Amino acid sequence: MSLDFGPAVGLSCRECGTRYPLGPSFACLECFGPLEAAYSFGTVTRADIESGPSNIWRYRSLLPVPVDVASKPNMNPGWTKLVKAGNLGRALGLKSLYVKDDSGNPTHSFKDRVVAIAVEAARNFGFHTLSCSSTGNLAGAVTAAAARAGLEACVFIPANLEAAKIAMARVFGGKLIGIDGTYDEVNRFCSELIGDPLGDKWGFVNVNLRPYYAEGSKTLAYEIAEQLGWRLPEQIVIPIASGSQLTKIDKGFRELVQLGLVEDTPYKIFGAQAAGCSPVSTAYKAGHDVVQPVKPDTIAKSLAIGNPADGPYVLDIARRTGGAVEDVTDPEIVAAIKLLASTEGVFAETAGGVTVGVLKKLAESGRLDPEAETVVLNTGDGLKTLDAISDDAKPTAVIRPSLDAFRAAV
Amino acid sequence: MSVTVRIPTILRTYTGGNAEVSGEGATLRDVLIKLDSDYPGIGARILDESGKIRRFVNVYVGEEDVRFAEGLDTAAPEGTQISIIPAVAGG
């Protein structure tokens, strides 16, 4: 098998640095640490990137994908809007605020970015089935991408997810297995399945394809910097599920600096969790560098990972950059969804409510610099988590079609 | 107590390719000591230099993540299945 991962030349253990050849492996044989793609970048210019397609493949020279990636059937996610959020900024006292709105991706969440890279890895390794453990958004992204790429799909979710996420994961075909358990239990099951002959030709995007898959989150960093005019934001608020997205956005910013594509200016990274699943925030506040797992209980199901594998790295990054990790309650999440929607016309899912809620809390407590350029992420579409705002999912009034009745109602 | 231990792919070089082996011990610590004597070297892959479970390894006794129980002192009742699993991210 001849592998083509573009600029990626191997895998490297994030803990001990041991190097491995490119392969469908995700844990270090020495210390169990996570493996990540290691690169030998060529010369990359802003002009090369700007002449690329209006999707993540404009950054193909920075990703573990072949150079002709854009010519193959894929969902072509990315290049989502960076919304200048003046109204929300004024409401929170922040002078220069942007919302990076990833609900505009093909299956309405940031997961299309990571899955697009995983599809290329699955093709490279000759896998016939694309799979994942998921809190919902990833399941939809995987079944859609598999359909488009001509791969089989079999995805695993906790059985009690939001109806819209289940419908989305199902409509694209393939198999959807609901497991009677938490996401962490689903994840554990998939990790065991991978070592079984039943699953050994399967590409689990967030398990054995994780080193490739996770790199997709870097494209959020690249896009934000390019959309700001090739500049790093001074402050950014990012949701934490497993913590992978936050760590890869940091990696993306550092790569842009290393390649001379942006100036080396300081940035602060803030992590956001729901109070009902806040192991990283708890560790941050306690000054710990290990993350004690929890059993989640929150409406923000897409962030309900009680055992976040990248949690220790999130702590490192928040502390290194001068950021923080904070959490908000379920009522604060709902209020933040409504605040974002009513100020900027962006309808976030509960995870976006967490991030905007934490943004608000950080702004009000003075931990964000009100003068600094700030970006907040919305990673998914509010239509997927309608139950969270069910009290408002009805008309403000129901009247007879008469002017008198209307005057009385308003 | 006699238990079964599920071995992740990356440790099967120690167990001759076996995905599951039998173990012995009253607590998880005892089981891991016996496992290392049966399959020399495997213990140091699961535990770090200070004898703690490595931070990117999840160990389950039955259905329970031992970090929610008594860690290495978690009891290993007769017939229990113990699983050793690399931490995985994503979702």
Side-chain angles (χ1 to χ4, degrees):
Chain A
M1 185 167 37
S2 168
L3 301 176
D4 184 354
F5 282 97
V9 293
L11 299 176
S12 170
C13 174
R14 184 142 185 192
E15 284 291 287
C16 69
T18 303
R19 292 290 289 260
Y20 298 89
L22 292 160
S25 47
F26 64 102
C28 177
L29 297 175
E30 301 300 320
C31 71
F32 277 85
L35 302 184
E36 61 179 6
Y39 295 96
S40 174
F41 291 127
T43 303
V44 183
T45 66
R46 291 180 185 178
D48 292 340
I49 292 170
E50 286 165 356
S51 67
S54 295
N55 55 50
I56 60 170
W57 305 132
R58 68 200 284 109
Y59 306 108
R60 63 190 177 281
S61 52
L62 302 171
L63 297 168
V65 292
V67 71
D68 65 345
V69 63
S71 67
K72 302 182 200 177
N74 208 310
M75 299 296 284
N76 301 334
W79 205 244
T80 55
K81 288 182 205 165
L82 184 69
V83 179
K84 177 94 174 94
N87 296 331
L88 180 61
R90 274 187 290 281
L92 300 179
L94 299 173
K95 191 173 165 192
S96 179
L97 178 66
Y98 295 84
V99 177
K100 179 61 173 170
D101 185 14
D102 248 15
S103 66
N105 275 314
T107 69
H108 307 278
S109 87
F110 93 97
K111 292 295 186 183
D112 291 317
R113 297 176 183 274
V114 280
V115 170
I117 313 289
V119 164
E120 286 307 309
R123 283 190 176 117
N124 243 324
F125 296 129
F127 291 142
H128 53 61
T129 298
L130 205 61
S131 187
C132 66
S133 54
S134 173
T135 60
N137 281 326
L138 181 58
V142 164
T143 54
R148 175 120 180 87
L151 296 166
E152 298 294 317
C154 182
V155 300
F156 300 86
I157 56 168
N160 69 347
L161 285 188
E162 298 95 339
K165 288 184 180 168
I166 291 175
M168 244 185 130
R170 190 79 180 86
V171 72
F172 300 113
K175 294 188 177 66
L176 173 68
I177 310 292
I179 288 185
D180 181 17
T182 64
Y183 172 78
D184 294 294
E185 289 169 315
V186 178
N187 219 3
R188 173 193 163 182
F189 173 76
C190 288
S191 306
E192 294 205 77
L193 183 53
I194 221 156
D196 190 280
L198 191 66
D200 72 355
K201 276 287 175 191
W202 292 23
F204 284 78
V205 302
N206 52 343
V207 187
N208 60 351
L209 300 181
R210 183 175 68 185
Y212 314 93
Y213 157 95
E215 293 295 286
S217 288
K218 293 193 309 183
T219 59
L220 274 162
Y222 304 152
E223 284 181 22
I224 289 166
E226 186 179 349
Q227 288 169 325
L228 286 175
W230 293 109
R231 195 170 70 239
L232 301 182
E234 294 171 275
Q235 305 176 132
I236 181 165
V237 186
I238 303 170
I240 300 168
S242 69
S244 171
Q245 184 190 49
L246 187 150
T247 65
K248 294 301 177 183
I249 289 175
D250 176 59
K251 187 179 184 196
F253 286 159
R254 285 185 291 118
E255 285 172 352
L256 292 177
V257 170
Q258 176 201 330
L259 291 162
L261 291 165
V262 298
E263 249 189 85
D264 187 5
T265 53
Y267 57 87
K268 293 183 178 182
I269 293 188
F270 296 84
Q273 292 204 295
C277 181
S278 54
V280 186
S281 171
T282 302
Y284 174 81
K285 290 172 183 175
H288 295 159
D289 60 3
V290 292
V291 176
Q292 178 70 23
V294 299
K295 302 204 170 171
D297 180 17
T298 169
I299 59 168
K301 293 182 182 175
S302 59
L303 303 185
I305 297 181
N307 187 11
D310 280 344
Y313 299 132
V314 170
L315 294 172
D316 293 345
I317 290 166
R319 288 171 180 147
R320 188 193 81 224
T321 64
V325 186
E326 187 51 275
D327 56 87
V328 283
T329 63
D330 285 357
E332 288 173 313
I333 294 167
V334 174
I337 291 172
K338 293 179 188 173
L339 177 65
L340 175 62
S342 62
T343 52
E344 298 299 345
V346 173
F347 185 17
E349 69 157 321
T350 45
V354 169
T355 315
V356 172
V358 164
L359 171 81
K360 180 170 186 283
K361 202 166 174 178
L362 293 167
E364 287 172 352
S365 62
R367 283 174 286 169
L368 285 177
D369 176 354
E371 301 294 315
E373 196 157 57
T374 306
V375 175
V376 63
L377 259 57
N378 173 40
T379 48
D381 189 328
L383 288 173
K384 295 191 185 190
T385 59
L386 276 179
D387 282 357
I389 55 141
S390 57
D391 289 349
D392 288 280
K394 57 192 178 201
T396 50
V398 176
I399 59 169
R400 286 177 292 105
S402 86
L403 287 173
D404 286 346
F406 174 65
R407 286 190 194 103
V410 298
Chain B
M1 304 289 177
S2 173
V3 299
T4 57
V5 184
R6 287 193 59 80
I7 306 294
T9 315
I10 64 171
L11 294 182
R12 289 182 196 166
T13 47
Y14 292 92
T15 60
N18 286 328
E20 193 168 292
V21 298
S22 58
E24 195 79 44
T27 65
L28 174 61
R29 188 190 313 276
D30 298 340
V31 172
L32 292 179
I33 289 168
K34 176 72 163 50
L35 191 68
D36 191 60
S37 85
D38 291 346
Y39 306 99
I42 198 168
R45 300 273 79 84
I46 300 165
L47 304 176
D48 66 17
E49 296 71 20
S50 64
K52 290 188 191 140
I53 297 173
R54 289 182 182 276
R55 79 174 179 171
F56 288 95
V57 184
N58 297 328
V59 181
Y60 297 83
V61 172
E63 294 301 309
E64 190 76 342
D65 181 333
V66 298
R67 283 172 295 190
F68 288 111
E70 306 298 317
L72 285 168
D73 296 321
T74 303
E78 178 74 25
T80 303
Q81 180 174 282
I82 292 172
S83 300
I84 299 157
I85 298 174
V88 290

